[in-house]
Amino acid sequence: MGAGIRILAAALLALAAVGGATAQLRQGYYSASCPNVEAIVQAAVALKVQQTPVAVGATVRLFFHDCFVQGCDASVIIVSSGNNTAEKDHVSNLSLAGDGFDTVIKAKAAVDTQCPSPNLVSCADILTMATRDVIGLAGGPAYPVELGRLDGLVSTASNVDGNLPPPSFNLDQLTAMFAANNLSQADMIALSAAHTVGFAHCGTFTGRIQTAAVDPTMDPGYASQLLAACPAGVDPNVALEIDPVTPHAFDNQYFINLQKGMGLLTSDQVLYADVRSRPTVDAWAANSSDFQAAFVAAMTNLGRVGVKTDPALGNIRRDCAVLNS
């Protein structure tokens, strides 16, 4: 077999493996074992958001951080134990809000109580459904979710290294990291708009607002507002809403903000500053329906990243935060 044929064969096998895993995800996966599961999760999530509105952004961010490290397998929810430091305790995940984890834990409790028997639905699928539901509760698009993921068997902080984009990334770095997860540049730009309901800590953007050298891509008035909220010496963990205009609504205001130089993070504003991605920002700022369609497609693609459907690679966790013994 020639080298070219061997490479092609290997590529086809890899695609078959990915396709096989994705093919086992499907809408209505629990229609026989727990037909009301989506309604159960939705009710639990609605109650949580009513009690704690910040759960919206927290849950969306939790889903992203989970899927980009070892795939969408709820491994980010595992707590550290013994000699193992779990993903949750990696420095990149320490800013994940507790309300995101609590949303999943409460939905899991509701599912285990109201399904015909406990432990029928994976934590990974519950996180997927909960993410869809918080987006809908914030006014975002309703969309069907593919289900059938198993929960991962490993959660190690070292696996996070280099797999989550820092707020300093430029367009090429962002595009490359998303491409490594089979996500396109359009997917990346659409998913970035989840920041419309998110928070960021002062420490992630203070370098852009220093009086002596304000980032030239940032609106000066916006920089002044941020400096007042995050003055020199402030606790770097103080959090601000990323979308200062409609912070509780899942909408396309994120892109309109970018046009005005009001992207909070470098990785936000670069989507407009870079002429290669600017046309997409302009298009979605002008057309909310087109943005929502692109976002749904991107979330579907994100939900397929690294999924585990083989019982040798995953199971259904009895407690989302603890590996089954």
Side-chain angles (χ1 to χ4, degrees):
M1 184 184 294
I5 295 176
R6 282 198 299 272
I7 292 171
L8 176 60
L12 289 173
L13 283 172
L15 285 171
V18 172
T22 302
Q24 293 178 58
L25 295 182
R26 65 178 187 273
Q27 296 174 29
Y29 182 85
Y30 298 101
S31 58
S33 59
C34 185
N36 297 324
V37 65
E38 294 197 41
I40 295 168
V41 171
Q42 187 176 48
V45 170
L47 180 59
K48 171 63 183 176
V49 170
Q50 182 182 23
Q51 295 169 339
T52 320
V54 296
V56 174
T59 304
V60 176
R61 188 161 180 248
L62 185 68
F63 181 63
F64 178 86
H65 278 235
D66 181 48
C67 291
F68 259 49
V69 180
Q70 303 296 303
C72 307
D73 64 354
S75 55
V76 73
I77 303 176
I78 294 289
V79 297
S80 298
S81 61
N83 294 323
N84 180 61
T85 302
E87 290 176 29
K88 183 178 181 179
D89 289 323
H90 187 278
V91 64
S92 297
N93 285 331
L94 293 178
S95 61
L96 290 172
D99 286 302
F101 296 95
D102 193 50
T103 299
V104 179
I105 298 301
K106 287 184 173 175
K108 164 73 168 171
V111 167
D112 280 351
T113 300
Q114 297 175 51
C115 283
S117 63
N119 214 39
L120 293 174
V121 183
S122 70
C123 301
D125 277 346
I126 290 173
L127 174 55
T128 303
M129 288 183 273
T131 301
R132 182 267 310 272
D133 294 337
V134 296
I135 289 168
L137 288 165
Y143 57 93
V145 288
E146 299 172 335
L147 302 172
R149 300 165 191 78
L150 292 174
D151 298 323
L153 305 178
V154 176
S155 181
T156 304
S158 59
N159 287 336
V160 181
D161 292 340
N163 287 314
L164 291 170
S168 59
F169 261 16
N170 63 31
L171 184 68
D172 289 329
Q173 291 168 318
L174 289 168
T175 301
M177 179 164 283
F178 277 70
N181 289 290
N182 296 316
L183 297 165
S184 68
Q185 186 177 91
D187 288 334
M188 178 271 289
I189 298 170
L191 291 169
S192 295
H195 283 172
T196 192
V197 290
F199 292 79
H201 296 88
C202 289
T204 62
F205 58 83
T206 48
R208 302 185 67 210
I209 60 174
Q210 299 304 316
T211 306
V214 174
D215 186 329
T217 65
M218 181 179 280
D219 175 77
Y222 183 49
S224 296
Q225 294 173 23
L226 293 174
L227 190 58
C230 296
V234 73
D235 181 347
N237 293 315
V238 169
L240 297 186
E241 292 159 334
I242 297 177
D243 176 358
V245 181
T246 57
H248 306 297
F250 194 96
D251 54 22
N252 67 334
Q253 183 65 44
Y254 171 83
F255 298 110
I256 298 170
N257 293 343
L258 298 186
Q259 291 176 317
K260 297 177 178 179
M262 295 170 61
L264 185 60
L265 307 176
T266 297
S267 56
D268 292 318
Q269 194 58 47
V270 73
L271 301 180
Y272 187 74
D274 195 305
V275 296
R276 294 171 295 174
S277 47
R278 185 181 298 170
T280 304
V281 172
D282 286 337
W284 291 342
N287 192 313
S288 178
S289 296
D290 285 353
F291 157 59
Q292 291 199 357
F295 183 79
V296 169
M299 286 296 286
T300 301
N301 291 335
L302 176 60
R304 295 170 176 169
V305 172
V307 296
K308 298 165 180 65
T309 56
D310 184 341
L313 302 175
N315 57 21
I316 295 178
R317 245 176 262 146
R318 289 185 289 274
D319 179 339
C320 290
V322 180
L323 296 173
N324 292 348
S325 56

